[in-house]
């Protein structure tokens, strides 16, 4: 739905901003899980 409304407007700056926001929101969970996994790895290594 968001993609269709952005594509119809032809405003590339707004579309790029929305895409960047989506990527940002997708990266956060991976960073958190990776950090927790690394912390557990370090605890088990000791």
């Amino acid at each position: 739905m968001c993609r269709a409304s952005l594509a119809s407007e032809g405003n590339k700056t707004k579309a790029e901003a929305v895409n960047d926001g989506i990527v940002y929101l997708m990266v956060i969970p991976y960073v958190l899980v990776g950090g927790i996994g690394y912390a557990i790895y370090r605890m088990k290594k000791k």
Side-chain angles (χ1 to χ4, degrees), residues 11-41:
N11 189 354
K12 291 192 179 220
T13 306
K14 190 182 287 187
E16 289 176 3
V18 169
N19 286 337
D20 291 342
I22 290 170
V23 170
Y24 177 74
L25 289 173
M26 287 175 51
V27 167
I28 292 173
Y30 289 108
V31 170
L32 289 175
V33 170
I36 292 170
Y38 181 68
I40 292 171
Y41 168 76

